[in-house]
Amino acid sequence: ELDPQFAHAYVGLADACWLYWQYSRGHVSEHCPFADGEEDSAKIDDVEPLVRKALSIDDEVGEAWVTLGFILRQRALSQGGGSDVMWLIREAQAAYKKGIDLSPSFSQAYHWYAGSLIFILSYDDPPNGWLTAWENGHWQSVVERGLEVDPLSLGLHGLKATYPMYSSTREEAVAHAQRMIEIAPNSPQGYAGMAAIQAYQYARLDEAIPWWNRAAERDPESSNYELAIAESYCALGDAEMARAYAHQATQLLPPDQRTANFDVLII
């Protein structure tokens, strides 16, 4: 309102509205120019004009290209992936690269670009395209460049902790999760990362549960951690504890979003 030619403001509004919608279980802020539709594609279509407006004002704003890449990637995912959306994937990849070229110190660019490569590579001639892409080190180099720009990025450390099979050893993954805890001890991300490593890399479910609990303590409104604990107890054969945590998980969801999956776990 104060400066309608300030390109960064349009990008900021696009980011804030999209992320708000993503992390508030589909609720839309009254400040966001979203339509009333329920589909993901509707939200993407409502956000993209903000980014296009920013680029029409100044096409040298790297942050705008990064957000455009994120939007294009989300549109491809909402359409189910596969060869028919490869053109969207490629456009997203080009937008990320342009954004990084224009704003090389914007660490979020590396986080979103690296995260998108996990999906991009899965669409491109699987499974051989996937393996070749990891072997040539492209994903690793994006993450490492990002950490050079911002050594305190939880997102980039999280990627290294989440995908050790592609970028590092299990021990290095643990180190990145521990670094996340050091950087932000009140955030659930590092504890959840450590839990995931123990559960999925080492198959130590009994050691993963305390880490999931620490994550849940720091984000008591999220059902994800309670559900992960329920699944761990289920795999360990403790039906009573699995049921208890599954029930807690359902109570954290709005009534209209309690799916059959949770009901099955409780039963």
Side-chain angles (χ1 to χ4, degrees):
E1 292 174 0
L2 294 174
D3 186 356
Q5 294 303 304
F6 182 41
H8 286 81
Y10 294 94
V11 183
L13 182 59
D15 288 346
C17 288
W18 174 259
L19 293 171
Y20 183 96
W21 179 79
Q22 267 198 317
Y23 288 101
S24 64
R25 302 191 184 113
H27 299 295
V28 177
S29 169
E30 60 185 282
H31 303 292
C32 296
F34 283 167
D36 295 329
E38 297 294 330
E39 297 298 324
D40 289 1
S41 58
K43 303 300 182 292
I44 296 169
D45 291 341
D46 289 326
V47 169
E48 187 172 350
L50 294 170
V51 181
R52 298 291 183 183
K53 174 67 175 178
L55 290 171
S56 72
I57 295 170
D58 184 356
D59 64 1
E60 297 293 301
V61 174
E63 291 84 350
W65 287 103
V66 172
T67 298
L68 179 60
F70 184 83
I71 289 169
L72 293 172
R73 173 212 169 200
Q74 292 302 123
R75 178 172 288 124
L77 292 177
S78 71
Q79 294 179 17
S83 59
D84 56 328
V85 297
M86 275 305 300
W87 66 276
L88 274 174
I89 296 294
R90 293 304 179 200
E91 284 196 9
Q93 196 171 18
Y96 280 125
K97 289 178 179 177
K98 188 172 181 67
I100 289 173
D101 288 342
L102 291 170
S103 299
S105 62
F106 182 43
S107 66
Q108 187 67 44
Y110 300 93
H111 178 203
W112 281 356
Y113 182 28
S116 75
L117 286 173
I118 296 166
F119 296 96
I120 290 170
L121 299 172
S122 69
Y123 294 148
D124 193 3
D125 190 26
N128 295 328
W130 175 281
L131 296 174
T132 302
W134 290 119
E135 287 168 359
N136 69 21
H138 183 45
W139 183 82
Q140 296 93 314
S141 68
V142 172
V143 176
E144 288 163 6
R145 284 175 61 200
L147 285 172
E148 289 174 5
V149 168
D150 182 7
L152 302 181
S153 170
L154 289 184
L156 289 167
H157 281 292
L159 289 176
K160 295 282 276 187
T162 305
Y163 298 97
M165 69 289 289
Y166 298 127
S167 63
S168 61
T169 65
R170 291 174 177 175
E171 291 74 21
E172 287 174 320
V174 169
H176 282 285
Q178 289 174 332
R179 184 69 182 119
M180 293 169 72
I181 294 171
E182 293 170 2
I183 293 169
N186 294 322
S187 167
Q189 295 182 59
Y191 304 95
M194 191 70 78
I197 293 168
Q198 295 300 324
Y200 308 131
Q201 297 301 318
Y202 287 104
R204 300 169 181 165
L205 294 172
D206 54 334
E207 295 185 28
I209 290 172
W211 290 107
W212 287 125
N213 270 312
R214 292 179 192 178
E217 289 169 2
R218 286 156 178 82
D219 188 6
E221 295 183 6
S222 173
S223 62
N224 295 334
Y225 309 123
E226 305 286 349
L227 181 59
I229 296 170
E231 291 174 339
S232 297
Y233 275 120
C234 188
L236 289 170
D238 191 333
E240 183 177 351
M241 291 296 289
R243 252 187 243 105
Y245 276 96
H247 179 74
Q248 288 177 216
T250 62
Q251 300 312 301
L252 293 170
L253 290 172
D256 61 341
Q257 295 185 29
R258 296 176 187 175
T259 67
N261 292 334
F262 288 95
D263 295 335
V264 168
L265 260 177
I266 293 174
I267 294 169

